Amino acid sequence: MKSRVAITLSAFLVFAFAGTPFAATPDEADWKQAMGTWARLSGSKIAAERAQAVTAVGDATYEKRDKTAFGLSFAMLRQELARGKNGKKEEEVSGLVILACVDAIKKIRNESTVEKIVKSATKGRDVRLRANLIRALGGIPSDEAKKALRKLVDDRAPIVSIAAVDALREQGDTADVDLFIRVSKDEKKTWEARLGALQAIGLIGDDQVCDSLVEILAALKEDEGRLRDEVLALLKKFLEVEIETDDPNAWKTAVAAKKRGEKPAEGGTKTAPTEFFGLKTKSTRIVFVLDRTGSMAAAMARSCALRSMT
């Protein structure tokens, strides 16, 4: 009886895994099917169908077809960004399609093709195109990609720098801890890049970074609430304490206690959060936007019409 159950369970597992899309490496049959999907949907006016087309390419690519897969995904990405007409028709650009392109490029493993991706990501005037290629490099396990990303962290274009930090965070290489600490401390970097670096430290760092985190906390300005909250969360995580304070001296004492093998003492004070119409926020800078574009008028009219019919 016991052997029969084991055989049945084994058969079930084989069937279950055989039915998943990741059960086997894509082959030429999968690629031909993907090309059919691409031919049918890549030129569609519907964003979801364009996304489906490029997703099919990413799911079916393998080393032999990586060059073509990148070419198609890159063309779709550039075409989608061009729909924005340099910001004049940004609503025409589909984030769904862009994400599908980035995810498809992440599937590429052919070394020569990866080199082409790196080259396209490091050169060119279109910083949005470069930024999305950089994000794609974050999902490609390649030393060449990581080497390029480390340089791009200091790119002059903020969107490129932010993308490089996010991509390196996805790579998750512990060798980049010092780089992330440097970015977190750099007041010239955008807050998005600094926040991304702190989040990366949370993923790959340990209690050895606590001294640096206290230094970052002490240097933060009053209006850098999001960064402060992230630093405090990391200190609590690495020191394994629940101290409700943003006083750098209190945290310095806690770090010293941790090094001595003692339990850090609680204490200190924490800055009260900013409130806006009763809503608490981590930031102190707030923008209140009044939308008078009429973009919701059609939906509201339809809703009213439906209610009047019931």
Side-chain angles (χ1 to χ4, degrees):
M1 179 66 180
K2 196 175 289 185
S3 61
R4 185 182 300 174
V5 171
I7 293 171
T8 304
L9 179 59
S10 298
F12 170 76
L13 290 173
V14 169
F15 173 79
F17 281 103
T20 63
F22 302 104
T25 303
D27 55 22
E28 195 61 21
D30 297 319
W31 179 257
K32 288 180 179 179
Q33 184 176 350
M35 288 301 92
T37 302
W38 175 269
R40 226 169 7 95
L41 302 177
S42 62
S44 175
K45 294 181 179 180
I46 302 173
E49 292 185 346
R50 297 196 300 276
Q52 185 180 342
V54 76
T55 296
V57 170
D59 289 344
T61 192
Y62 61 108
E63 191 158 355
K64 177 182 175 181
R65 296 297 184 179
D66 276 353
K67 181 179 179 180
T68 303
F70 172 57
L72 294 175
S73 302
F74 181 74
M76 177 70 81
L77 177 60
R78 186 165 52 185
Q79 174 184 302
E80 195 63 33
L81 291 171
R83 291 174 181 271
K85 303 292 183 183
N86 294 321
K88 296 178 181 178
K89 291 188 176 181
E90 199 62 30
E91 69 279 2
E92 298 291 331
V93 180
S94 169
L96 184 67
V97 176
I98 291 175
L99 288 174
C101 292
V102 171
D103 288 340
I105 296 172
K106 285 181 179 181
K107 305 287 181 64
I108 291 169
R109 295 294 180 269
N110 179 273
E111 289 185 12
S112 61
T113 306
V114 171
E115 289 176 4
K116 290 182 179 180
I117 300 172
V118 169
K119 185 176 180 180
S120 298
T122 53
K123 296 182 180 180
R125 295 181 180 180
D126 190 338
V127 292
R128 294 182 66 188
L129 180 62
R130 290 177 58 204
N132 282 289
L133 291 174
I134 288 167
R135 293 186 189 282
L137 287 174
I140 300 176
S142 160
D143 290 337
E144 187 73 20
K146 285 189 282 189
K147 182 180 178 181
L149 291 172
R150 287 164 185 150
K151 291 181 179 179
L152 289 166
V153 163
D154 296 314
D155 194 273
R156 292 182 179 180
I159 189 174
V160 170
S161 175
I162 294 167
V165 170
D166 290 344
L168 278 178
R169 181 181 64 209
E170 186 175 353
Q171 288 280 352
D173 191 335
T174 55
D176 291 319
V177 170
D178 288 342
L179 181 148
F180 289 129
I181 290 174
R182 174 176 67 79
V183 173
S184 301
K185 289 181 176 181
D186 192 347
E187 296 182 1
K188 294 181 179 180
K189 289 281 191 291
T190 63
W191 70 266
E192 295 96 334
R194 296 175 71 188
L195 180 63
L198 287 169
Q199 291 170 341
I201 292 171
L203 292 174
I204 64 175
D206 54 29
D207 59 6
Q208 298 299 310
V209 304
C210 288
D211 285 321
S212 296
L213 290 174
V214 173
E215 291 176 8
I216 294 170
L217 178 63
L220 289 175
K221 300 180 178 66
E222 289 185 7
D223 61 353
E224 294 177 319
R226 293 191 68 177
L227 298 179
R228 181 178 292 102
D229 275 13
E230 192 67 30
V231 171
L232 293 175
L234 292 178
L235 285 168
K236 290 179 182 180
K237 173 184 176 180
F238 293 136
L239 295 177
E240 299 178 325
V241 294
E242 287 295 330
I243 302 177
E244 294 301 325
T245 178
D246 54 7
D247 180 0
N249 291 322
W251 282 107
K252 187 181 293 185
T253 301
V255 172
K258 178 76 172 181
K259 290 179 179 178
R260 294 193 302 268
E262 302 173 2
K263 183 179 179 181
E266 297 184 2
T269 58
K270 190 172 182 180
T271 304
T274 303
E275 291 193 17
F276 182 67
F277 282 87
L279 299 174
K280 294 181 179 180
T281 174
K282 297 178 182 178
S283 300
T284 56
R285 295 177 180 177
I286 300 168
V287 177
F288 187 65
V289 180
L290 292 174
D291 182 2
R292 57 191 298 268
T293 62
S295 59
M296 297 296 292
M300 293 177 65
R302 182 174 181 275
S303 178
C304 292
L306 289 173
R307 283 202 299 269
S308 65
M309 294 171 64
T310 58

